[in-house]
Amino acid sequence: MTDGASHDSTSIVESLDIHNKHFPKVTKAAKNLLDDSAADDPTLKRVVENLFGIKLRCHVNPRRRKTLKEEELPKGMASLTPNGTLRCDADLEMDYRGKRQAVGYYYGPPRDEQNHNFCESCPLKSQCCHKTNTDGRHVIIPFAKLPNISTDDPPMAKRFQKLMKKRPSVERMIYRLKCTLGDRYLSKRGNSNYQASLVALHLIIPL
Ligand code: SF4
């Protein structure tokens, strides 16, 4: 790796290659590689899967797609991000429920942590839901509205989100290595102090 102005995504195959040379068992056992939206490139995903058998997972690069506004969406819906986050006119996030084969992505009414359905008491209900509706708003978004998303691995799905939650802990560790434990914070100079700091660092890493 160099400090040059190369795009983040260009380092992936090279890094995996080096990793594979040093730790082939780890590379072989790995199933997913979690990255940020800079790696959202179908060709790169294909190459990583073909060469290493690893699924490269990341959010859709928002630069490639715009958030859709209400005029492009079903009644009562205010916005749809490129990652499939759908918000209604009450500015609440619709609850992603899964795919309806050959039709689209299916969303149910917004819910709080106790699974309470917000539509029941929403002042906009009469404009948003049919008058016979007792379950709250349900919407299907056609696959074509979210062309950058893989229908087999949509980022709104709970399993995708559960996986991506692991990324911040890795980033926290990188921050610690780069900043908190950087040598500019060494209060004492000299080789032995520097080595002591490295030993301490290696003791901390597994924590
Ligand atoms: S009725 Fe439900 S979906 Fe419609 S705006 Fe109100 S909370 Fe949102």
Side-chain angles (χ1 to χ4, degrees), residues 76-77 88-90 92 94 109-110 118-119 122-125 128-129 137:
M77 298 300 111
C88 68
D89 283 345
L92 295 167
M94 301 294 286
F118 279 110
C119 297
C122 176
L124 303 173
K125 190 177 174 193
C128 187
C129 305
R137 187 78 164 101

Side-chain angles (χ1 to χ4, degrees), residues 135-201:
D135 305 334
R137 187 78 164 101
H138 290 75
V139 182
I140 288 182
I141 299 291
F143 294 129
K145 296 266 184 202
L146 293 166
N148 283 39
I149 283 179
S150 156
T151 52
D152 294 330
D153 192 26
M156 320 71 101
K158 302 240 175 340
R159 72 165 184 272
F160 182 95
Q161 290 176 359
K162 199 171 154 199
L163 259 180
M164 288 311 265
K165 274 193 183 149
K166 296 181 178 180
R167 257 183 71 74
S169 58
V170 175
E171 286 182 345
R172 255 197 310 278
M173 182 49 71
I174 292 170
Y175 175 82
R176 256 189 232 174
L177 291 171
K178 275 169 69 178
C179 304
T180 318
L181 298 168
D183 56 2
R184 67 200 158 115
Y185 288 109
L186 264 184
S187 55
K188 291 182 179 167
R189 300 286 156 194
N191 268 351
S192 38
N193 286 322
Y194 189 74
Q195 280 167 12
S197 132
L198 285 181
V199 171
L201 183 65

Side-chain angles (χ1 to χ4, degrees), residues 26-169:
V26 179
T27 317
K28 198 170 171 211
K31 292 188 172 62
N32 298 294
L33 175 64
L34 312 179
D35 208 328
D36 62 25
S37 56
D40 178 31
D41 176 353
T43 310
L44 180 61
K45 288 180 182 178
R46 228 177 2 258
V47 170
V48 169
E49 184 146 23
N50 291 345
L51 288 180
F52 305 101
I54 296 175
K55 275 203 179 308
L56 172 56
R57 290 190 147 99
C58 58
H59 285 293
V60 173
N61 190 337
R63 285 192 192 157
R64 297 205 183 133
R65 301 290 311 173
K66 291 204 165 37
T67 292
L68 300 185
K69 300 291 180 201
E70 59 182 326
E71 53 278 12
E72 300 163 273
L73 297 170
K75 186 178 71 166
M77 298 300 111
S79 64
L80 177 68
T81 71
N83 277 303
T85 302
L86 180 64
R87 298 189 80 81
C88 68
D89 283 345
D91 200 21
L92 295 167
E93 187 175 328
M94 301 294 286
D95 186 32
Y96 178 69
R97 297 276 185 87
K99 280 185 302 181
R100 289 292 176 270
Q101 288 302 347
V103 186
Y105 301 107
Y106 176 56
Y107 296 77
R111 292 181 183 274
D112 63 16
E113 279 165 12
Q114 282 74 45
N115 208 28
H116 167 252
N117 178 344
F118 279 110
C119 297
E120 283 169 11
S121 54
C122 176
L124 303 173
K125 190 177 174 193
S126 60
Q127 304 154 37
C128 187
C129 305
H130 193 272
K131 57 184 176 205
T132 58
N133 180 326
T134 53
D135 305 334
R137 187 78 164 101
H138 290 75
V139 182
I140 288 182
I141 299 291
F143 294 129
K145 296 266 184 202
L146 293 166
N148 283 39
I149 283 179
S150 156
T151 52
D152 294 330
D153 192 26
M156 320 71 101
K158 302 240 175 340
R159 72 165 184 272
F160 182 95
Q161 290 176 359
K162 199 171 154 199
L163 259 180
M164 288 311 265
K165 274 193 183 149
K166 296 181 178 180
R167 257 183 71 74
S169 58

